[in-house]
Amino acid sequence: MTLTKKDVVSNVLRGRTSMPRAEAKAFAPANIALCKYWGKRNEELNLPVTSSLSLSLGPLGSEVVLATCEGSDRVELNGEAVPERAPFAARLFEFLDLFRPTPATHFNVIARNTIPTAAGFASSASGFAALVTALNDLFGWGLDKRACSILARLGSGSASRSVYEGFVEWHAGSREDGMDSYAEPLDARWPELRLGLLTISSETKKTGSRPGMKHTIETSPLYAAWPAKATRDLAELKSAIVARDFERLGRTAESNALAMHATMIAAWPTLLYWLPESVRMMQRIVAMREDGVPLFFTMDAGPNIKLLFLEQSEPRIREVFPDVQVVAPFSAYR
Ligand code: DP6
């Protein structure tokens, strides 16, 4: 029997009573994967082929204010009403369909991204994680973070990780119903760690992650090597975090991103997200490293680059990349 998202929601909410309130607010951070999620074993439930590991972006993410309303669903993003038929609204309303107590229940969603949307970094991850947290509060379900992570995953795989701050591991799990596929925070802080966001293009990409990973699995001869590589990298990253070994962390994250892109580049037709400027930046990063600056990068399914470095390198990084937006993921803990 193939399970649907609705089956999973019924399972998670079984035995819970709804105690609706007028309005609920929630925030969830965006996250950048150091070991990527690339490929699904179940497309309906967003169950991944491998486990992944990310770093949440602290104050950068999505805020959601949610209320029930009459008539029809409405959504506002960064102060502007989004037309009902826009892909963003359609995907959101379809997700909300999973949670309507009656077919006549509609929602008013006010969403704001604290991560610059125009810079091409806005991710559905923080949006779905904030939305699930707000739903849990609005209906008074009293779900724990693990259950919220499972529900957020149904919206977008990487949203399962945005339920937490800091380093987060999303366990791939092996169950068919995905009840063992949720994220958990690592018990580790690294206050000196910095992420630098470099915007190369803010245009919406032609192929999103979802069709991109499907196309890679279906056509790339290199995908077969990916699961073992991701599994090795995940273990390596976790031990680098425990040992506070920045070189090992950076090297592994960069190599993981490059290996993921290699699988895409070898797909047919190719999925080449890099722009000439992305390549120039990569070469500059490698050259700086050869000059002794401990600097690494990672990239998702797009042309933009995320730098990884330590606090003490920040002045040097700002000199070379004046437009960089620096994030201190553990700053709240200092
Ligand atoms: C390259 O979570 O956006 O950013 O589950 O289909 O919504 P869906 O995909 P999504 O994919 C993210 C892919 C990635 C790597 C990562 O964040 O781990």
Side-chain angles (χ1 to χ4, degrees):
M1 194 187 75
T2 43
L3 291 162
T4 62
K5 291 186 174 70
K6 190 74 202 164
D7 296 326
V8 174
V9 171
S10 308
N11 191 5
V12 170
L13 297 182
R14 183 162 306 132
R16 309 253 160 195
T17 40
S18 286
M19 309 269 278
R21 353 181 337 170
E23 189 185 276
K25 275 186 204 162
F27 169 81
N31 74 76
I32 302 290
L34 303 177
C35 180
K36 309 291 183 187
Y37 147 53
W38 195 247
K40 303 182 198 205
R41 62 186 164 86
N42 179 323
E43 284 173 26
E44 163 72 11
L45 305 181
N46 291 333
L47 297 177
V49 173
T50 59
S51 298
S52 57
L53 190 140
S54 63
L55 190 51
S56 284
L57 300 192
L60 298 187
S62 307
E63 281 165 9
V64 165
V65 181
L66 185 67
T68 50
C69 66
E70 303 289 313
S72 61
D73 292 332
R74 284 190 290 272
V75 58
E76 186 188 297
L77 177 63
N78 298 332
E80 281 182 39
V82 182
E84 209 178 317
R85 268 186 287 277
F88 172 83
R91 191 168 169 201
L92 176 71
F93 299 159
E94 196 187 320
F95 184 70
L96 288 171
D97 284 347
L98 299 169
F99 302 99
R100 296 180 208 281
T102 71
T105 311
H106 291 99
F107 294 95
N108 190 29
V109 184
I110 301 175
R112 190 171 292 280
N113 286 325
T114 52
I115 185 153
T117 320
F121 288 106
S123 72
S124 50
S126 53
F128 281 111
L131 189 63
V132 165
T133 310
L135 281 163
N136 186 31
D137 193 29
L138 186 76
F139 290 123
W141 292 324
L143 297 173
D144 60 13
K145 291 243 181 188
R146 180 177 294 188
C148 288
S149 173
I150 289 175
L151 295 182
R153 164 171 54 75
L154 300 177
S156 185
S158 52
S160 66
R161 301 183 308 235
S162 272
V163 167
Y164 303 96
E165 293 288 347
F167 291 113
V168 182
E169 178 177 359
W170 171 17
H171 306 287
S174 57
R175 287 174 57 141
E176 224 179 302
D177 64 2
M179 293 307 286
D180 57 354
S181 184
Y182 51 80
E184 273 183 322
L186 299 193
D187 183 19
R189 292 171 188 182
W190 199 333
E192 300 77 23
L193 202 61
R194 295 290 179 273
L195 267 167
L197 309 182
L198 286 177
T199 307
I200 289 165
S201 166
S202 49
E203 268 173 44
T204 317
K205 50 204 181 197
K206 264 200 346 248
T207 311
S209 298
R210 188 164 295 184
M213 58 178 94
K214 186 168 155 60
H215 178 67
T216 306
I217 288 202
E218 286 169 358
T219 70
S220 175
L222 299 192
Y223 189 79
W226 171 254
K229 162 76 178 156
T231 306
R232 269 197 316 274
D233 287 349
L234 179 67
E236 189 74 8
L237 285 165
K238 284 167 77 174
S239 59
I241 291 167
V242 171
R244 288 282 180 283
D245 184 339
F246 178 70
E247 288 278 339
R248 187 134 70 101
L249 178 97
R251 190 187 337 121
T252 310
E254 186 171 308
S255 151
N256 184 270
L258 288 170
M260 175 182 74
H261 278 273
T263 69
M264 304 177 193
I265 291 169
W268 191 264
T270 186
L271 252 188
L272 180 59
Y273 287 104
W274 299 350
L275 291 175
E277 189 59 12
S278 320
V279 176
R280 255 196 298 279
M281 295 275 188
M282 288 184 225
Q283 286 169 329
R284 197 176 302 166
I285 292 161
V286 173
M288 282 177 77
R289 205 153 63 216
E290 281 164 5
D291 278 352
V293 183
L295 171 66
F296 298 87
F297 70 85
T298 183
M299 294 176 81
D300 291 316
N304 297 319
I305 290 193
K306 289 95 179 179
L307 303 175
L308 280 165
F309 56 94
L310 293 174
E311 187 181 23
Q312 68 257 29
S313 311
E314 191 169 327
R316 180 81 186 106
I317 306 294
R318 285 193 184 274
E319 222 171 82
V320 179
F321 303 100
D323 298 327
V324 68
Q325 183 179 1
V326 177
V327 184
F330 295 94
S331 61
Y333 302 125
R334 283 196 127 178

